[in-house]
Amino acid sequence: MSNVRVRFAPSPTGFFHIGSARTALFNWLYARHTGGTFILRIEDTDRQRNTDEALRVLLEGMRWLGLNWDEGPEVGGVCGPYFQSERSAIYQRYLQRLLDSGRAYEKDGAIWFRLEGERYTAYDDFKKQEVEKVRNRPVVIEDAVRGRVERTEEQDFVIFRQNGEPVFHFVNVVDDIEMGITHVIRGEDHLSNTSKHVELFEAFGAPLPVFAHIPLILKESGPGKMSKRDKGALIEEYEQRHFLPEAVRNYLCLLGWNPKDDQEKMTIDSIIESFDFPGINKGNARFDERKLSSLNTAYLRELPLESFCWLARPILNQAGIVAEDSNEDYLQKVLALCQPKARSLETLAEFVAYFFSDTYEVDAKAEKKIHRDANWQESLQQVIAVMHAVEPFSAETIGASLEKAAAEAGIQPFAWFPLIRFAVSGQSGGPDLMPLLETLGKECVLSRLHGLAKC
RNA sequence: CUCCCGUUCGUCUAGCCAGGCCUAGGACACUGGGUUUUCAUCCCAGCGACAGGGGUUCGAAUCCCCUACGGGAGGCCA
């Protein structure tokens, strides 16, 4: 156990943003890498939007990604409470220290932090007004990701609002001091705030934590960082779309960090082992769902069949494809056939639909392809004749019969495959054809072949 | 407007700190082949980038400066 203490300090907003999730992930990884402590602290100083539901979404998202916390809500810890709304007494104590040392003062009913330095007034083109500024010494931030960063804070800032509530900068620093946070890992959008925070740490005479500002996640298309309204911005979305959490987590690791050895699909243990600040990039990373999907497919394919079935069953039930009390053996057989071919759990229902019902989508492209062969009707009749004769109706016997018939007709047996597949599934792709036919059964196969012949 | 950060294939990135090993490597996507009786995997190949300009140097993707572009911050939001 090292003395590293990191924290993820989200404000419950009702959704779990992918950028927040990645910040949580990096903190968690660093804690696990160093054998330190990962703390979850809820920054609920804000108004009405902090509801129980908002907290639930957050905690569920954390659990879904497998980010367990060592101190925080539900698990407690020595530095509690872990909700800022319950820490008022601590903030009052710290405020008193600043008041006593003359580093805080009241103005307009709010309490301000006083910077040290020579005061003057200047016109602020952003605020479009005259403001008091301070000729202050620059704050030096030794950032673990970006190196030395200098920034000068030049205006006093509010630390307690008129309504008596402390503001983010104040509570954030106080809690980090109180909780013994050693490393502050957060998004680059906080880099500019860091000078305020350093001023506060110093005013309290507290040692500075190591700061590590990680790059932001940019939206997939268009300018700017990912915002909650963008597609793919919320962790809940991936859960609902049945992405595998290991895949999402793996992808998130790669957004702004890499192990520098060309590895991409990695176990979480190997990521924990190699995760460190030098591997974190400085430039922002653009989100790319295609890459996430390819990772997701890779994870899906290597799931044990048992796990695959366990995940697939409720999805198919919910989609109305498979009844709750359906034939277990048949379902197992279908899923075993489909796992190596399916791209995602999200699309699994449509992928397997034709196994469970005679009404299923017909792929227009596949149909066009079939019709392109002028003799397709004739071929279909030949296939029907073959299928009629197959007994027993097993993958091996069907294959052998087709091969024999094809040889007699002087063609390659696989020339019929796309036609057969389309006739029984309406698709151009899918599981291995022979086992597929065996699984559907003779009656169903013949009926569908005849069905297509009538068209 | 001010301040801070960044900039290698379409995207994620390796290389940059310790300049020559870079005709810039990998992955996703895309295209074309091959394996597979179909489908999918898999394999091979192709496509494709050092933002621009100056400097330092025998030599720069790598060091320095400028410009451009991108991102962030500048709330009694977090």
Side-chain angles (χ1 to χ4, degrees):
Chain A
M1 198 76 172
S2 77
N3 56 6
V4 168
R5 289 174 65 83
V6 294
R7 50 48 170 194
F8 172 52
S11 169
T13 51
F15 47 85
F16 194 22
H17 189 270
I18 191 171
S20 301
R22 210 259 322 237
T23 298
L25 173 62
F26 279 22
N27 274 283
W28 181 84
L29 284 171
Y30 192 67
R32 296 298 171 255
H33 174 75
T34 56
T37 306
F38 177 55
I39 298 158
L40 177 60
R41 180 172 82 218
I42 307 300
E43 303 218 333
D44 56 351
T45 54
D46 184 29
R47 59 243 159 196
Q48 311 84 338
R49 68 171 153 172
N50 294 300
T51 62
D52 289 347
E53 170 61 10
L55 180 66
R56 191 195 61 74
V57 168
L58 190 66
L59 299 189
E60 191 180 311
M62 291 286 285
R63 287 194 195 96
W64 188 71
L65 284 171
L67 307 181
N68 59 315
W69 52 98
D70 306 309
E71 295 178 22
E74 298 180 356
V75 301
V78 291
C79 295
Y82 293 90
F83 291 86
Q84 288 187 332
S85 56
E86 297 168 15
R87 297 172 64 80
S88 306
I90 295 166
Y91 305 139
Q92 287 302 327
R93 214 166 65 229
Y94 273 76
L95 171 62
Q96 196 56 51
R97 283 172 59 182
L98 292 185
L99 256 13
D100 291 346
S101 61
R103 294 304 301 275
Y105 60 92
E106 191 179 334
K107 189 178 93 181
D108 302 332
I111 297 175
W112 297 64
F113 178 74
R114 189 196 306 280
L115 294 172
E116 293 176 320
E118 183 193 338
R119 271 145 214 281
Y120 65 102
T121 52
Y123 185 77
D124 188 316
D125 224 327
F126 178 71
K127 290 186 176 166
K128 300 289 179 197
Q129 58 176 294
E130 292 271 325
V131 295
E132 185 184 64
K133 294 204 172 177
V134 180
R135 249 181 271 285
N136 194 9
R137 66 174 191 359
V139 161
V140 177
I141 303 153
E142 291 292 347
D143 193 278
V145 172
R146 334 190 80 84
R148 181 190 175 93
V149 177
E150 269 190 33
R151 192 171 181 281
T152 306
E153 205 56 45
E154 48 186 20
Q155 278 182 67
D156 291 354
F157 52 92
V158 170
I159 50 177
F160 272 74
R161 304 186 186 103
Q162 264 181 356
N163 67 7
E165 301 249 296
V167 305
F168 161 72
H169 302 298
F170 182 84
V171 292
N172 192 263
V173 168
V174 168
D175 285 342
D176 283 347
I177 293 170
E178 278 286 296
M179 294 183 179
I181 301 302
T182 57
H183 296 73
V184 172
I185 304 166
R186 49 158 50 152
E188 199 223 43
D189 49 345
H190 286 294
L191 187 52
S192 302
N193 292 329
T194 306
S195 44
K196 280 191 184 70
H197 299 179
V198 170
E199 291 281 1
L200 285 167
F201 273 107
E202 290 179 347
F204 287 122
L208 289 177
V210 172
F211 289 100
H213 286 94
I214 64 181
L216 302 181
I217 299 175
L218 268 25
K219 61 179 74 186
E220 188 150 30
S221 55
K225 62 173 176 174
M226 190 79 111
S227 77
K228 64 180 175 183
R229 311 207 116 210
D230 293 311
K231 180 168 173 289
L234 271 34
I235 294 302
E236 304 90 274
E237 179 186 328
Y238 298 104
E239 192 174 354
Q240 282 157 207
R241 291 173 63 193
H242 309 298
F243 275 78
L244 296 174
E246 312 91 277
V248 174
R249 184 174 60 189
N250 193 154
Y251 176 69
L252 251 27
C253 288
L254 263 18
L255 234 37
W257 172 83
N258 79 82
K260 301 186 190 294
D261 60 2
D262 286 345
Q263 292 293 307
E264 298 210 317
K265 185 164 174 295
M266 291 169 281
T267 64
I268 195 63
D269 286 339
S270 76
I271 293 174
I272 287 170
E273 192 181 333
S274 51
F275 186 86
D276 208 344
F277 296 136
I280 299 178
N281 297 105
K282 297 181 181 74
N284 294 337
R286 196 170 291 278
F287 177 77
D288 180 14
E289 189 175 302
R290 284 178 307 188
K291 184 140 185 168
L292 165 59
S293 291
S294 83
L295 263 178
N296 188 57
T297 303
Y299 273 94
L300 193 66
R301 297 268 164 89
E302 66 180 33
L303 231 40
L305 179 60
E306 199 184 331
S307 311
F308 182 75
C309 291
W310 189 79
L311 290 169
R313 167 113 36 73
I315 293 170
L316 297 179
N317 287 156
Q318 203 177 6
I321 298 289
V322 177
E324 301 272 354
D325 59 349
S326 67
N327 183 311
E328 193 63 24
D329 288 347
Y330 183 68
L331 178 59
Q332 286 268 346
K333 220 170 160 185
V334 170
L335 290 177
L337 230 45
C338 291
Q339 190 192 0
K341 314 288 178 173
R343 280 215 160 273
S344 67
L345 289 170
E346 185 183 18
T347 55
L348 186 66
E350 58 181 285
F351 192 83
V352 302
Y354 60 85
F355 280 102
F356 300 96
S357 164
D358 287 326
T359 53
Y360 47 84
E361 290 266 325
V362 171
D363 184 64
K365 261 178 155 170
E367 187 170 35
K368 217 171 156 188
K369 227 167 154 184
I370 295 303
H371 290 339
R372 213 179 299 160
D373 177 7
N375 301 322
W376 71 272
Q377 292 275 16
E378 197 181 316
S379 302
L380 192 54
Q381 292 306 324
Q382 289 175 292
V383 169
I384 288 172
V386 174
M387 292 298 174
H388 261 296
V390 177
E391 204 65 52
F393 202 72
S394 72
E396 293 74 29
T397 53
I398 299 165
S401 301
L402 281 172
E403 207 165 327
K404 190 158 160 265
E408 285 165 6
I411 61 161
Q412 297 279 27
F414 57 80
W416 284 332
F417 280 30
L419 175 64
I420 301 171
R421 181 186 292 284
F422 176 75
V424 301
S425 72
Q427 306 295 314
S428 61
D432 281 330
L433 189 57
M434 295 310 137
L436 183 160
L437 295 173
E438 176 188 313
T439 304
L440 283 175
K442 188 169 183 175
E443 192 185 336
C444 173
V445 168
L446 279 171
S447 135
R448 289 184 184 179
L449 286 170
H450 282 298
L452 181 63
K454 281 189 204 123
C455 287

